[in-house]
Amino acid sequence: GVDYRQLLRTVRQFEQNLRRGPQDSSYLTQASQLYEWLIRPIQAQLEQQKIDNLTFVLPSGLRTLPLAALYNAKTQRFLVEDYTLGMIPSLSLIDLTPKPYRQPDQSKVVAMGSSTFTDNTPLPAVPLELAEVTKILPGESFLNQAFTADNLEKALDSQEFNVVHLATHGAFRPGDRRNSFIYLNQGKLNLDQFAALGFDRSKIDLLVLSACKTAFGDPDAELGFAGLAVKAGVRTALGSLWNVSDEGTLALMTLFYHQFKTQDTKTEALHHAQIAMLKGNYQVVNDQLIIENQPPFSISPAVAEVFKNDLRHPYYWSAFTLIGNPW
């Protein structure tokens, strides 16, 4: 009973209201309506078949939809509370073999990023983010002036790393692929240049773009990081649909990487990280982060301060989306 134009209008309003941040709860109107349109018609079938993971292949105009924040008004639960979630551009482009190239507890990360840029706003939490990521997973980090295309290419050629974490701005624009790029500390790297770095040779299991965002409402530029990852030979990409706060990004990445080491799939890792933020079911004691029903783990004092903020609003956690292979 709803036409596509009405659906798109509701999606755009939902996204806009959600991005206003924790002071705004008006997004719940659209979150509930979208749940009724997209999930309710198949809910009985999902429950009957005991489905616990949903992977969406969304058409143009819907690919920036923050699925995790769809809301079941009858149960007062977000979609992420009932399912692990992911997206894929199309089945034909995805390697659906279950096993990763390397088991999570054997993973090694190359973490790169910049806190300052010559022609973009600074990202002051990036140094702390890179330090925390390489404390959770073994690996190497390259910050600011060390964040270069040459260093990234060398890391890929080394075959040492199966996780690439990039904390930087990104611009995904319509038309020529050269119009879309990620920012280095100095200069830019367009999609073609990025794909040519050697991701297909290095068997990267996970690419994380923690500060990039997609272009809202632009069918040609939607999910730029997903197209980038798939075309470049990356098995799975994790990115954000909008520029989340430094606090939200740092908290989510800390939780995600700890879950990544212990959960069976990447979708489960993201699911548990988002649930922890939604429910606020953690506490910080002497720079130890204690999550409900899980062993405590050490975090730096600066990260501990971040977790003292109220991060339960979906603005902080629902922007993060996994694209590609859920395993």
Side-chain angles (χ1 to χ4, degrees):
V2 57
D3 63 38
Y4 196 57
R5 290 183 180 180
Q6 185 180 357
L7 176 62
L8 288 180
R9 283 196 300 269
T10 305
V11 168
R12 293 289 90 83
Q13 189 62 55
F14 175 45
E15 294 167 346
Q16 291 167 12
N17 290 343
L18 193 52
R19 285 182 290 151
R20 289 174 181 159
Q23 288 73 38
D24 196 318
S25 61
S26 60
Y27 71 91
L28 282 171
T29 300
Q30 296 86 35
S32 302
Q33 182 62 80
L34 290 167
Y35 189 97
E36 294 300 314
W37 287 340
L38 300 176
I39 306 300
R40 186 74 66 192
I42 60 171
Q43 189 169 32
Q45 186 178 359
L46 295 174
E47 292 173 355
Q48 181 181 11
Q49 298 189 30
K50 298 181 180 179
I51 301 297
D52 56 14
N53 173 265
L54 300 179
T55 299
F56 290 79
V57 186
L58 294 174
S60 174
L62 297 184
R63 294 175 186 142
T64 56
L65 176 61
L67 295 160
L70 297 186
Y71 189 68
N72 185 341
K74 293 183 179 179
T75 61
Q76 297 185 332
R77 291 169 66 88
F78 289 98
L79 188 63
V80 72
E81 296 182 73
D82 296 320
Y83 304 96
T84 60
L85 303 168
M87 278 196 264
I88 55 177
S90 72
L91 281 172
S92 63
L93 292 176
I94 300 301
D95 176 6
L96 290 174
T97 53
K99 292 185 179 180
Y101 296 120
R102 212 177 304 187
Q103 296 300 318
D105 59 358
Q106 301 170 345
S107 292
K108 191 172 181 180
V109 63
V110 55
M112 296 185 167
S114 186
S115 58
T116 60
F117 303 87
T118 56
D119 56 352
N120 212 322
T121 56
L123 295 170
V126 164
L128 189 58
E129 181 180 324
L130 298 189
E132 202 67 19
V133 167
T134 50
K135 186 170 73 174
I136 300 167
L137 293 182
E140 297 181 24
S141 66
F142 297 81
L143 177 64
N144 289 335
Q145 292 185 351
F147 179 29
T148 65
D150 285 344
N151 281 338
L152 179 54
E153 187 170 20
K154 289 176 183 176
L156 295 175
D157 287 341
S158 73
Q159 304 287 316
E160 288 185 56
F161 309 99
N162 68 313
V163 177
V164 175
H165 181 99
L166 301 180
T168 184
H169 288 296
F172 298 98
R173 297 171 178 169
D176 195 311
R177 284 165 54 88
R178 291 171 294 183
N179 295 335
S180 298
F181 50 83
I182 60 169
Y183 285 85
L184 305 173
N185 179 250
Q186 297 180 353
K188 303 169 184 175
L189 198 64
N190 69 40
L191 293 191
D192 283 339
Q193 293 169 327
F194 193 94
L197 289 176
F199 283 92
D200 56 337
R201 301 191 303 273
S202 57
K203 292 189 175 181
I204 296 300
D205 193 49
L206 175 65
L207 168 66
V208 177
L209 295 163
S210 71
C212 293
K213 66 173 183 176
T214 54
F216 279 89
D218 189 328
D220 294 324
E222 288 177 345
L223 294 184
F225 64 83
L228 177 153
V230 171
K231 292 291 185 182
V234 174
R235 185 178 288 244
T236 310
L238 173 62
S240 59
L241 300 173
W242 58 81
N243 281 340
V244 183
S245 69
D246 277 354
E247 293 87 354
T249 299
L250 185 55
L252 192 286
M253 290 301 155
T254 300
L255 291 166
F256 171 76
Y257 276 105
H258 276 285
Q259 298 294 337
F260 176 72
K261 289 175 63 176
T262 59
Q263 299 297 330
D264 291 333
T265 69
K266 302 183 193 78
T267 53
E268 287 178 312
L270 180 60
H271 168 82
H272 286 289
Q274 290 177 318
I275 290 293
M277 291 181 70
L278 163 64
K279 294 185 176 297
N281 58 357
Y282 52 77
Q283 56 181 320
V284 177
V285 180
N286 297 326
D287 296 335
Q288 294 271 314
L289 186 62
I290 304 170
I291 304 173
E292 189 176 25
N293 300 323
Q294 295 186 26
F297 55 87
S298 298
I299 54 178
S300 68
V303 176
E305 287 299 314
V306 168
F307 278 100
K308 293 178 183 179
N309 297 317
D310 187 348
L311 303 173
R312 291 174 296 176
H313 192 281
Y315 164 76
Y316 292 110
W317 49 263
S318 67
F320 294 95
T321 303
L322 273 171
I323 313 295
N325 189 305
W327 300 287

